[in-house]
Amino acid sequence: AQRVTQPEKLLSVFKGAPVELKCNYSYSGSPELFWYVQYSRQRLQLLLRHISRESIKGFTADLNKGETSFHLKKPFAQEEDSAMYYCALSVEGSNYKLTFGKGTLLTVNP
Amino acid sequence: DVKVTQSSRYLVKRTGEKVFLECVQDMDHENMFWYRQDPGLGLRLIYFSYDVKMKEKGDIPEGYSVSREKKERFSLILESASTNQTSMYLCASSLPGKAADTQYFGPGTRLTVL
């Protein structure tokens, strides 16, 4: 079965510093990877997906199949980036269900 | 704009009670999901439905059942609530097929079982 691992429960950085939220997955085929974000008192929402290869709110994520990783990066963190971030994976043949990691709580300090 | 609503934001029930959590979406989505969200455990899928009257178990279905009589409504039922079911419950919906991985979430119901 597929699995998503986010090794950091908590991550704290200062405003303006680079930030990287780690995500590793285990799946033998070709998965699709996503990052979902939940800001304080807001709904969980899609941030970005690897197939789009786009930057959302300054965040990017590259799928590295060799390292089975999909780390989320931003060169200069902002206070409004403080949120809970979940990495998720879907695989063909599973009705495209999502498997979520346990999440990383990012705090950006002023 | 997709709207997913859940019947209650906060709910307090007693052990042994039958509990109904309701979710409604207004975007004609085929797929609907129920998750529980616990600190340190992330989101875990309880059940999902890909059509009216169709359901499939997720990763942690024990102690729960679901009902989908209409396309827009997906109910989660705790037959006999227990304290270990105290949690935040999230409902989500999505289109079918490849679009299913973009899920739209409700605001959540925080259930406390005493």
Side-chain angles (χ1 to χ4, degrees), chain A residues 44-58:
Chain A
L44 189 63
Q45 59 187 291
L46 177 67
L47 178 63
L48 56 78
R49 58 173 67 204
H50 89 269
I51 57 172
S52 300
R53 302 189 66 82
E54 56 190 345
S55 173
I56 304 291
K57 299 186 178 184

Side-chain angles (χ1 to χ4, degrees), chain B residues 71-95:
Chain B
K71 192 175 185 180
E72 68 271 18
R73 188 180 297 269
F74 191 34
S75 303
L76 180 69
I77 304 154
L78 286 67
E79 296 290 341
S80 178
S82 63
T83 54
N84 62 14
Q85 292 178 310
T86 292
S87 185
M88 173 69 86
Y89 289 87
L90 299 183
C91 175
S93 71
S94 74
L95 290 168

Side-chain angles (χ1 to χ4, degrees), chain A residues 35-93:
Chain A
W35 279 97
Y36 276 76
V37 62
Q38 188 170 28
Y39 301 102
S40 179
R41 299 191 199 85
Q42 293 189 29
R43 301 169 186 229
L44 189 63
Q45 59 187 291
L46 177 67
L47 178 63
L48 56 78
R49 58 173 67 204
H50 89 269
I51 57 172
S52 300
R53 302 189 66 82
E54 56 190 345
S55 173
I56 304 291
K57 299 186 178 184
F59 284 99
T60 59
D62 291 319
L63 178 60
N64 185 324
K65 291 186 177 181
E67 295 183 359
T68 59
S69 68
F70 188 57
H71 303 327
L72 184 68
K73 301 176 185 179
K74 185 169 182 176
F76 306 104
Q78 303 299 314
E79 289 179 70
E80 55 266 30
D81 296 328
S82 296
M84 177 68 84
Y85 291 81
Y86 292 98
C87 183
L89 170 157
S90 76
V91 300
E92 197 166 353

Side-chain angles (χ1 to χ4, degrees), chain B residues 1 10 36-37 40 42 58 62-63 74 77-79 81-83 88 92 98 109-110:
Chain B
D1 199 22
Y10 300 94
R36 61 178 285 177
Q37 182 182 34
E62 297 78 18
F74 191 34
I77 304 154
L78 286 67
E79 296 290 341
S82 63
T83 54
M88 173 69 86
K98 285 284 277 185
T109 295
R110 185 166 293 283

Side-chain angles (χ1 to χ4, degrees), chain B:
Chain B
D1 199 22
V2 178
K3 217 36 178 309
V4 180
T5 57
Q6 296 183 227
S7 51
S8 306
R9 291 302 301 272
Y10 300 94
L11 210 51
V12 179
K13 296 292 182 180
R14 296 207 174 274
T15 302
E17 280 193 75
K18 191 168 185 175
V19 181
F20 293 86
L21 302 182
E22 305 284 340
C23 175
V24 177
Q25 51 92 6
D26 66 357
M27 285 304 291
D28 205 33
H29 283 174
E30 280 80 359
N31 295 345
M32 296 189 75
F33 308 82
W34 275 107
Y35 296 90
R36 61 178 285 177
Q37 182 182 34
D38 299 287
L41 296 178
L43 269 75
R44 293 178 292 168
L45 181 65
I46 305 171
Y47 267 97
F48 79 101
S49 169
Y50 48 90
D51 202 350
V52 175
K53 297 190 185 293
M54 306 300 286
K55 61 185 179 184
E56 192 168 315
K57 292 180 180 179
D59 301 317
I60 52 164
E62 297 78 18
Y64 303 94
S65 62
V66 290
S67 172
R68 189 146 181 224
E69 297 296 318
K70 293 185 178 181
K71 192 175 185 180
E72 68 271 18
R73 188 180 297 269
F74 191 34
S75 303
L76 180 69
I77 304 154
L78 286 67
E79 296 290 341
S80 178
S82 63
T83 54
N84 62 14
Q85 292 178 310
T86 292
S87 185
M88 173 69 86
Y89 289 87
L90 299 183
C91 175
S93 71
S94 74
L95 290 168
K98 285 284 277 185
D101 46 37
T102 300
Q103 296 186 12
Y104 297 87
F105 284 83
T109 295
R110 185 166 293 283
L111 172 67
T112 301
V113 182
L114 302 175

